[in-house]
Amino acid sequence: QTTGLVYVDNPSRPNLLVNPNWQIDQINEGALYTSVSGSFPNGPDGWSLESNGAGVYKVRTLADPDAASLKCLEITCTTVDAAMATTDVYAIYAAVEGYDLASSLVGTASAQQVTLQFKFKTSVTGVYGIAFRNSAINRSYVGIITVADTSEHEYIVTLTLDTTGTWLYTNGVGCYVSICLAAGSNFQTTAGAWGAGTFRTTSAQCNFMSSTSNIAYLKRVQLIPGALVQAYRPADIQKE
């Protein structure tokens, strides 16, 4: 553990996210999904769209523009929300099942570390919030990534899971993992620590919803037990 190495029950599939790379889009088969203010419509393969405000964004799966043999999630702003109200929030998120998260001992004094790795490319530079929340959405951790240019880069957030709070260890939601596109002050907090509330980002968050020309690509996401950065391992489609 001192080196970040953690025992997992299924080393052939260390990624805690199911089909996180959009190889199979069972519902829409590559068609667009549209955010709906005040609700959380399902998106491709376990990812959902969170939206509260006047803006609209759409997502779809498609061939990675930088690696045509692979898939990615495309995110586009289609209706602008140029000025964030305190209650506005736009984010995409996935859920980790409680059974899959239980071995990390989240919610106990022995809670272990996890590492989120993903590739991201966007026309909107700046800070993006990466949030982890429990199923009751009353415990949150916010990490940040800083996008310095419009090229593809790998981003990494490592954290120790919460040592308190209420967490599900069954087939409910173990935790939510989200990437914030824009958010008002009600959803902003200090990065790097667990706290009470339902937060998505920090006050430094950029506004992806500022223009209908804004576009982003999310790729090769993996949530791995431990603090070691690992090479991307594609999932076996039949096992998924």
Side-chain angles (χ1 to χ4, degrees), residues 59-127:
V59 304
R60 63 173 176 170
T61 63
L62 77 168
D64 184 342
D66 299 298
S69 63
L70 302 173
K71 294 292 184 69
C72 70
L73 184 72
E74 180 192 68
I75 309 163
T76 55
C77 173
T78 57
T79 301
V80 166
D81 187 349
M84 290 291 114
T86 58
T87 57
D88 287 355
V89 60
Y90 304 90
I92 59 170
Y93 67 93
V96 179
E97 189 172 299
Y99 284 127
D100 293 330
L101 195 67
S103 63
S104 69
L105 304 179
V106 62
T108 76
S110 302
Q112 298 176 0
Q113 291 181 304
V114 292
T115 297
L116 181 70
Q117 301 171 226
F118 59 94
K119 292 192 174 182
F120 190 58
K121 175 181 179 178
T122 177
S123 61
V124 184
T125 59
V127 171

Side-chain angles (χ1 to χ4, degrees), residues 73-218:
L73 184 72
E74 180 192 68
I75 309 163
T76 55
C77 173
T78 57
T79 301
V80 166
D81 187 349
M84 290 291 114
T86 58
T87 57
D88 287 355
V89 60
Y90 304 90
I92 59 170
Y93 67 93
V96 179
E97 189 172 299
Y99 284 127
D100 293 330
L101 195 67
S103 63
S104 69
L105 304 179
V106 62
T108 76
S110 302
Q112 298 176 0
Q113 291 181 304
V114 292
T115 297
L116 181 70
Q117 301 171 226
F118 59 94
K119 292 192 174 182
F120 190 58
K121 175 181 179 178
T122 177
S123 61
V124 184
T125 59
V127 171
Y128 290 79
I130 310 298
F132 295 78
R133 297 175 294 150
N134 63 350
S135 62
I137 58 173
N138 57 15
R139 296 290 297 172
S140 303
Y141 177 99
V142 170
I144 61 170
I145 63 168
T146 301
V147 176
D149 56 49
T150 58
S151 299
E152 176 188 295
H153 297 283
E154 183 173 54
Y155 297 93
I156 299 164
V157 175
T158 296
L159 67 145
T160 299
L161 291 170
D162 200 4
T163 57
T164 187
T166 301
W167 298 83
L168 297 183
Y169 307 125
T170 58
N171 64 343
V173 175
C175 78
Y176 294 105
V177 180
S178 66
I179 299 175
C180 186
L181 303 174
S185 58
N186 282 8
F187 301 96
Q188 298 172 3
T189 189
T190 302
W194 284 96
T198 176
F199 301 107
R200 308 294 187 282
T201 189
T202 71
S203 59
Q205 172 74 39
C206 67
N207 184 5
F208 181 83
M209 304 300 295
S210 62
S211 170
T212 54
S213 64
N214 293 343
I215 190 168
Y217 301 94
L218 180 61

